[in-house]
Amino acid sequence: MSISGKYDVCIVGATGLVGQTFLKVLAEADFPIDRLKLLASARSAGKVLEYKGQKLTVSELTPSSFDGYHIAFFSAGGGISKEYAPIAKEKGLVVIDNSSAWREDDGVGLVVPEVNLADSSLNKIIANPNCSTIQSVVPLNALKPFGLKSVTYSTYQAVSGSGGSGQVDLARTLAGAEPEFYPHNISQTCIPEIDVFLDNGYTKEEMKMVNETRKILHLPDLPVSATCVRVPVMNGHAVSVRVELEREFEIADVIAAFEAHEGIVVANDGAAHVYPTSIMAEGSGSVFVGRIRRDLSATNSLLFYCVADNIRKGAATNAVQIALKMIAENLI
């Protein structure tokens, strides 16, 4: 615990897309930082990044990197997290990990702070959920008083979800070149393949959404299915959600529940062309919800559409929000 009220912070994977966004989000939040250490692979060590106008040199990640620090934000891939997060934990740090390495570990909290902050107390390693899951469970949590009976997702995921390589491939193919990263020309089609295919016909991304939704909402038996699609949008994921509810509802009550829930902005006037868009969500830490309507195919069934900045709320902002809320509640 910090004695001064400020914290010594490490960013692991500082030179990556999410790592650099951590720097922006920490600065915007005026996070109480005393010392800030930027860490990456030997290949990236020596690069210079900026934080609040100060030039910081990236250091190579080693087991001794965490000595004397309080908090580590990880965004360097699952392998690095599996190897180094336990080391940081052993040295007393709170680790907030953006990879998938710890998400399905029963002893590790999978946390969206507006939904289940209490789960951060399970372990000094805290998992940041999948980006599309984060933006989906916030409005689903608002609907919990109506009783969640089943959930079906269809996602429209931006290329930034693949990191810099995805963004480069979209720009490359928009310029008329052949794709080098995606299996098809992302500038000309949507690609219903994110991560690897599994034996059950789902992709790993789709099963992440299934399993993570259940874990975050503490509903292990909730029926959930997902179809995850990469779309030719640079940044900002969208998810169409169909949710069956246990109880009868009025649309006005659903909208009121969304409006009252922390982290949600309702944009729901389709007649005025007001509904969630990636442009609307750009740079924001909120989840934008709209197209709220009854599902005509089933009783007590609801449809809505949600959008969020997947690099911010879907990754860096969610992690920083976890840390800030933990500090506010004296959990760090």
Side-chain angles (χ1 to χ4, degrees):
M1 180 178 291
S2 169
I3 297 174
S4 66
K6 292 192 174 183
Y7 296 80
D8 298 325
V9 176
C10 303
I11 299 176
V12 179
T15 58
L17 183 59
V18 174
Q20 292 185 60
T21 306
F22 272 128
L23 291 171
K24 296 176 185 177
V25 174
L26 288 167
E28 291 166 2
D30 198 23
F31 197 94
I33 292 176
D34 189 4
R35 293 185 298 160
L36 178 61
K37 181 185 286 189
L38 307 185
L39 298 166
S41 66
R43 185 180 65 235
S44 296
K47 290 184 177 181
V48 176
L49 300 175
E50 187 172 307
Y51 177 72
K52 288 188 171 182
Q54 181 183 3
K55 303 292 186 181
L56 297 176
T57 301
V58 177
S59 301
E60 181 181 356
L61 176 64
T62 69
S64 63
S65 295
F66 308 106
D67 292 350
Y69 281 74
H70 302 111
I71 302 168
F73 295 103
F74 273 66
S75 189
I80 295 295
S81 293
K82 277 291 189 182
E83 181 178 357
Y84 283 94
I87 295 172
K89 173 187 172 181
E90 187 69 23
K91 293 177 182 287
L93 282 77
V94 169
V95 176
I96 303 176
D97 177 43
N98 195 57
S99 80
S100 61
W102 304 98
R103 291 175 185 164
E104 295 193 31
D105 188 317
D106 290 339
V108 172
L110 182 65
V111 176
V112 178
E114 302 94 331
V115 178
N116 64 328
L117 181 68
D119 290 351
S120 63
S121 63
L122 293 174
N123 197 306
K124 276 187 169 289
I125 297 174
I126 299 161
N128 216 33
N130 178 58
C131 44
S132 291
T133 307
I134 290 173
Q135 71 186 68
S136 301
V137 297
V138 176
L140 285 176
N141 193 61
L143 296 175
K144 258 189 161 184
F146 298 94
L148 301 181
K149 188 175 180 181
S150 72
V151 177
T152 303
Y153 296 128
S154 296
T155 76
Y156 308 82
Q157 295 180 226
V159 296
S160 59
S162 301
S165 297
Q167 293 178 311
V168 168
D169 215 46
L170 176 56
R172 178 189 296 114
T173 51
L174 282 171
E178 291 297 310
E180 295 181 8
F181 179 74
Y182 292 116
H184 301 284
N185 185 334
I186 187 64
S187 73
Q188 300 298 314
T189 190
C190 300
I191 300 175
E193 175 187 354
I194 302 179
D195 215 320
V196 298
F197 278 98
L198 304 174
D199 290 343
N200 64 359
Y202 285 75
T203 63
K204 191 173 180 181
E205 181 82 356
E206 290 161 352
M207 292 310 300
K208 286 177 189 176
M209 291 197 72
V210 171
N211 296 327
E212 292 178 20
T213 297
R214 293 168 173 166
K215 181 175 180 179
I216 295 165
L217 295 176
H218 297 171
L219 295 171
D221 298 319
L222 179 67
V224 182
S225 62
T227 300
C228 294
V229 182
R230 189 72 69 194
V231 298
V233 171
M234 194 61 75
N235 193 56
H237 289 355
V239 184
S240 176
V241 184
R242 177 185 184 271
V243 54
E244 284 189 278
L245 301 172
E246 297 281 357
R247 288 181 275 287
E248 294 182 0
F249 62 87
E250 297 296 332
I251 292 297
D253 294 332
V254 168
I255 291 173
F258 286 149
E259 290 177 334
H261 196 284
E262 181 185 3
I264 294 176
V265 176
V266 173
N268 193 56
D269 187 356
H273 310 295
V274 176
Y275 34 71
T277 66
S278 296
I279 296 169
M280 183 184 293
E282 182 77 27
S284 174
S286 297
V287 177
F288 294 79
V289 178
R291 295 300 317 279
I292 303 162
R293 61 209 189 276
R294 289 187 182 275
D295 173 15
L296 301 179
S297 70
T299 303
N300 295 336
S301 187
L302 180 75
L303 296 168
F304 66 88
Y305 184 78
C306 63
V307 177
D309 185 324
N310 52 289
I311 301 300
R312 292 231 172 193
K313 183 53 183 170
T317 298
N318 195 75
V320 172
Q321 288 172 332
I322 292 169
L324 285 171
K325 283 182 174 286
M326 291 180 71
I327 288 170
E329 298 197 13
N330 295 315
L331 299 174
I332 300 179

